[in-house]
Amino acid sequence: MERIVQGMNITEVIKSIRKAEGYFICNTARDLSQSDFKNRILLHTDLLAAKAREKANYFALEITGGASVHVDILRKQVDPFLKLELLREQMPNTMFQTLCRGVNLFGYRPYPQNVIRKTVKEFAKYVDVWRVFDFMNHIPNMQAVFEEVQTAGKILEPCICFSTGPEHTDDFYVKKVQEILDVTGEEILLCIKNHGGLGTPKRIGDLVSAIKQKYPELVIHYHGHNTDGNDVGRITAAVINGAEIVDAADHAFTGFYGPPPILTVIDTLKDYGKEAEGIDVAAVIETSEVLRNEREHYEYFESQFKGFSPTVQIHKLPGGAMGSSFEQAVKGEFLDKMPDILHDELPKVQIELGNYWSVTPGSQIIWTTAVSNVLGGDRYGNPSGDLKNLLLGKYGPFPFYQPAEWIYEKIFGENWREILEQEGGVEDIEDMDIEQERANLTKRLGHEPTEHQLVLYLQHPNDAVDFFKFEEKFGKVYVLPPSILLKRGGFALGDTLEFKDHEGKQHILEIGPEQKNEESGDWNVYLNVDHHQRMYTFQEEIAAGGTAKAIELSKEEIEELASVGDVRAPFSANVSDIKVEEGQDVAVGDTLVILEAMKMQTPVNSEVAGKIEKISTDLGQALKPGDKIVKIVTD
């Protein structure tokens, strides 16, 4: 069979798939990184594996999208576009795949239509297959991405997000497929996105069969997670019942919450007379041999809870959220509460909020609500802005039933019906003035940004600027292996570090000496990089105990201060946006700042009318409960 390669159009791809006797495999390396290593797999590691993956003849390699675009600039200091360019050099034939959250793109909030279209246009220059989903299965939320992908001539793969429960019937999903086809036309691939690894093999087989009976010519791509250890069974049932493409990953890196190993899928289906089309098994094995020695450097980012989790069938937390939820529990010092959150509160919240699909950003809304309910002891007493938007229908209509009236009353107060009538409905987001944002970015950088920089800035403004400035100061760090970039505990003066880059070239780093600038008080630290000396300037750290201890305020005290115009941070968060200026008049209910915690954005609104006297925070600043935000002089 002729290999499917990047550059083929959707008509050619579908024709090749229909002619094939077996099934195809997509290597979901991106999802593996997100689910089992908190998205920390570095470009260096992917470049090491690139040539072997190219020989393996996969249907596609999912290597970008989801949360990876954000984490690339936030934690790994690598340009997501550069990553695609460098991998394409090593993998000229393999199609690259992305996971796109529809109206949420590669972020966590709905974006304006013009931002969505511009982002898709730029990424479509590098990405061949576009897997697009919406956590409410609300087709209009995906339509702009659908249109731009098809206009770019790329492979469109809309998703039906899958879950379990009495409402999640074959009939419901078959009708949802028709809703998609009414918008896209028939030349698509359809993904069954089982992001939580839910249901049994029989349940997935029945769903594939139901869709195939109604739409026999539709190409189905099954995506699942191995959280409960049973996804190979679901994959087998999917293929036997007609799915043509399935997802798996390199066995040297597979764990508990991501996709299952490719070789296990191949060996299992072989006994059912199903062959993996075009797959070079030797190259699949070679990839894992290349990757095996890399895994030890990512150990810190694996989940704090080891082993499979069959109770995912109860709490429904998706693979991508499993590891990050435990990381948040460790940082928030509530790891001991996780059994209660996962097995008691989370299922309750899931049902109470309509039993929709627990996937980004919906999974974060359910998760943060359950955590707040357990830690705060007051169920729905501290709602996030995103939870309020969900209840107001800003993300789309509830697919099955609306939450109970007591939840609305608890969150919005006695006049909740009036608020729902006035503010409810899908949010109509005005187009952003992109040229003004380009000017804003130019001002923050001190030079004209590239189109790639602008696209990243439009989605993650503060984190993007921090990354651009980091790269301007320190250069591109993708050549550094995880043993260097992710080394725990830092480096000491006098250390000599030797490593090979992804091309096998040897490098040497010598750290030190250091010299203090007596005038400024800063320290100059010298590095010898491949025998070329460089100098970096750092401010002296304040010794422990050198600053006054932060004042700890109770929730009640924070609320009391807000009632007189002294606005404090209600919880630990980063400042995502500042909506006011000093000297500005504000009314009761006006938004002062937007805080971001656990990927959820919460507006802090004024409790009083008056004038902004002082703003005590900056964009991107990390706040603790009780930290000063805004001082308002009341009328």
Side-chain angles (χ1 to χ4, degrees):
M1 191 204 77
E2 183 180 347
R3 179 178 179 180
I4 293 175
V5 296
Q6 74 96 13
M8 293 176 68
N9 61 42
I10 183 67
T11 303
E12 295 172 304
V13 170
I14 290 177
K15 183 179 179 181
S16 294
I17 292 173
R18 287 174 178 166
K19 283 170 53 180
E21 296 181 359
Y23 65 96
F24 294 81
I25 293 178
C26 175
N27 185 327
T28 47
R30 191 277 321 161
D31 206 359
L32 174 70
S33 175
Q34 180 166 331
S35 299
D36 287 313
F37 299 93
K38 301 182 179 71
N39 246 323
R40 296 311 205 283
I41 305 300
L42 300 180
L43 173 57
H44 179 279
T45 299
D46 285 322
L47 285 170
L48 284 179
K51 291 182 179 179
R53 283 174 173 165
E54 169 76 355
K55 290 189 293 184
N57 288 350
Y58 296 116
F59 166 75
L61 173 70
E62 186 181 282
I63 199 62
T64 189
S68 74
V69 173
H70 186 209
V71 179
D72 278 350
I73 61 175
L74 180 66
R75 303 294 184 203
K76 297 188 286 188
Q77 283 72 50
V78 66
D79 184 334
F81 289 100
L82 176 64
K83 176 170 76 173
L84 293 169
E85 290 172 358
L86 293 174
L87 286 170
R88 176 55 70 213
E89 291 176 3
Q90 303 294 323
M91 305 181 71
N93 293 313
T94 303
M95 293 201 297
F96 289 164
Q97 179 172 297
T98 188
L99 177 69
C100 180
R101 298 162 176 164
V103 72
N104 301 293
L105 286 174
F106 306 123
Y108 317 101
R109 60 186 174 86
Y111 291 99
Q113 291 285 299
N114 62 339
V115 172
I116 293 171
R117 294 180 184 278
K118 183 171 182 60
T119 300
V120 175
K121 284 177 182 176
E122 285 300 316
F123 273 93
K125 297 173 182 176
Y126 304 90
V127 176
D128 307 285
V129 183
W130 285 75
R131 175 177 290 170
V132 188
F133 75 94
D134 177 70
F135 81 96
M136 296 292 272
N137 271 332
H138 187 50
I139 310 306
N141 283 348
M142 300 184 278
Q143 189 161 346
V145 179
F146 290 171
E147 291 171 358
E148 290 301 326
V149 170
Q150 291 182 315
T151 298
K154 300 299 182 176
I155 315 300
L156 178 60
E157 184 175 290
C159 297
I160 50 170
C161 294
F162 173 80
S163 189
T164 53
E167 305 85 9
H168 295 265
T169 63
D170 288 346
D171 184 57
F172 171 84
Y173 287 115
V174 169
K175 289 179 180 177
K176 190 60 65 174
V177 172
Q178 186 61 59
E179 288 181 39
I180 291 173
L181 294 174
D182 287 343
V183 172
T184 64
E186 296 181 356
E187 284 205 319
I188 62 166
L189 312 180
L190 177 77
C191 177
I192 297 175
K193 181 173 169 54
N194 190 6
H195 42 275
L198 302 178
T200 63
K202 182 180 183 304
R203 177 71 193 92
I204 295 302
D206 288 347
L207 177 57
V208 173
S209 178
I211 295 173
K212 277 292 187 179
Q213 288 178 36
K214 179 71 173 179
Y215 310 101
E217 295 299 306
L218 190 60
V219 175
I220 295 178
H221 187 163
Y222 171 76
H223 165 79
H225 283 242
N226 205 32
T227 308
D228 64 347
N230 202 20
D231 207 52
V232 175
R234 288 185 286 266
I235 287 172
T236 302
V239 172
I240 288 173
N241 283 278
E244 291 92 344
I245 314 170
V246 297
D247 285 352
D250 301 296
H251 55 268
F253 265 61
T254 48
F256 309 115
Y257 307 133
I262 293 164
L263 283 180
T264 306
V265 171
I266 292 173
D267 291 342
T268 301
L269 281 166
K270 189 177 295 183
D271 277 356
Y272 289 89
K274 301 291 184 178
E275 295 289 335
E277 287 288 341
I279 290 292
D280 184 332
V281 172
V284 175
I285 296 172
E286 180 187 349
T287 304
S288 278
E289 294 306 313
V290 170
L291 291 172
R292 194 171 302 282
N293 292 334
E294 294 279 289
R295 182 163 184 162
E296 64 179 292
H297 305 298
Y298 296 102
E299 182 180 8
Y300 177 80
F301 301 105
E302 295 192 58
S303 174
Q304 284 77 9
F305 276 28
K306 306 298 182 186
F308 293 109
S309 181
T311 56
V312 70
Q313 304 298 333
I314 299 171
H315 61 71
K316 301 183 180 180
L317 203 61
M322 287 293 291
S324 61
S325 67
F326 289 118
E327 182 179 36
Q328 291 162 9
V330 169
K331 291 180 178 178
E333 299 180 349
F334 60 89
L335 193 60
D336 60 314
K337 301 287 187 182
M338 284 296 281
D340 291 339
I341 294 170
L342 289 176
H343 305 143
D344 184 20
E345 187 61 24
L346 203 58
K348 286 181 184 176
V349 171
Q350 178 87 49
I351 298 301
E352 289 170 352
L353 295 184
N355 199 20
Y356 64 80
W357 295 269
S358 183
V359 63
T360 305
S363 53
Q364 279 86 352
I365 296 174
I366 295 173
W367 161 252
T368 54
T369 301
V371 170
S372 176
N373 288 352
V374 170
L375 300 186
D378 181 17
R379 299 192 78 237
Y380 298 100
N382 187 29
S384 68
D386 296 274
L387 174 57
K388 292 179 180 179
N389 285 335
L390 175 75
L391 294 173
L392 290 170
K394 300 297 184 185
Y395 295 106
F398 285 93
F400 306 117
Y401 56 86
Q402 284 193 254
E405 292 183 356
W406 72 265
I407 294 177
Y408 280 91
E409 184 171 354
K410 182 65 177 285
I411 291 175
F412 295 108
E414 294 181 357
N415 63 335
W416 66 269
R417 287 186 176 85
E418 181 182 331
I419 293 174
L420 188 60
E421 184 177 344
Q422 292 177 351
E423 302 180 23
V426 176
E427 189 172 6
D428 185 14
I429 305 173
E430 292 185 4
D431 276 357
M432 186 178 289
D433 187 339
I434 291 180
E435 290 311 308
Q436 181 58 54
E437 293 304 317
R438 188 193 303 274
N440 294 341
L441 181 55
T442 299
K443 183 177 180 180
R444 294 180 70 173
L445 293 180
H447 59 80
E448 183 84 10
T450 65
E451 290 303 301
H452 290 171
Q453 288 178 322
L454 179 60
V455 162
L456 297 175
Y457 173 77
L458 292 173
Q459 293 177 85
H460 307 288
N462 297 319
D463 294 331
V465 170
D466 288 344
F467 165 67
F468 301 149
K469 290 183 176 179
F470 172 92
E471 194 170 63
E472 287 177 3
K473 182 175 181 180
F474 297 107
K476 301 184 187 304
V477 302
Y478 70 86
V479 295
L480 294 174
S483 59
I484 303 295
L485 190 61
L486 303 179
K487 182 177 181 295
R488 310 298 299 173
F491 304 95
L493 290 173
D495 279 355
T496 298
L497 311 170
E498 297 186 37
F499 68 92
K500 290 182 179 179
D501 62 22
H502 60 277
E503 294 179 340
K505 183 179 178 181
Q506 190 76 24
H507 298 278
I508 183 169
L509 296 176
E510 297 172 294
I511 302 176
E514 66 178 6
Q515 183 181 42
K516 186 173 184 179
N517 186 322
E518 297 299 338
E519 291 185 8
S520 65
D522 295 338
W523 284 90
N524 297 326
V525 177
Y526 295 87
L527 294 180
N528 281 315
V529 182
D530 292 339
H531 308 294
H532 296 280
Q533 190 176 78
R534 302 181 186 182
M535 183 189 77
Y536 296 94
T537 301
F538 298 92
Q539 292 181 338
E540 186 167 13
E541 290 185 357
I542 299 174
T547 58
K549 185 179 179 180
I551 299 174
E552 295 183 3
L553 300 175
S554 67
K555 178 182 176 181
E556 292 74 20
E557 289 172 323
I558 292 172
E559 291 174 349
E560 186 176 340
L561 287 169
S563 70
V564 295
D566 187 356
V567 184
R568 307 295 185 99
F571 48 81
S572 296
N574 292 323
V575 180
S576 176
D577 196 4
I578 298 175
K579 296 292 189 181
V580 293
E581 299 176 352
E582 291 182 358
Q584 178 180 332
D585 290 327
V586 293
V588 174
D590 284 354
T591 300
L592 305 172
V593 299
I594 305 290
L595 300 182
E596 184 174 304
M598 292 191 284
K599 302 179 182 178
M600 295 288 98
Q601 294 190 341
T602 300
V604 176
N605 300 327
S606 180
E607 300 289 332
V608 299
K611 180 172 290 188
I612 303 294
E613 180 181 70
K614 184 177 182 181
I615 298 174
S616 301
T617 190
D618 294 311
L619 281 175
Q621 184 175 341
L623 300 177
K624 294 181 180 179
D627 283 352
K628 294 181 179 181
I629 297 179
V630 171
K631 176 66 175 176
I632 302 171
V633 179
T634 57
D635 293 339

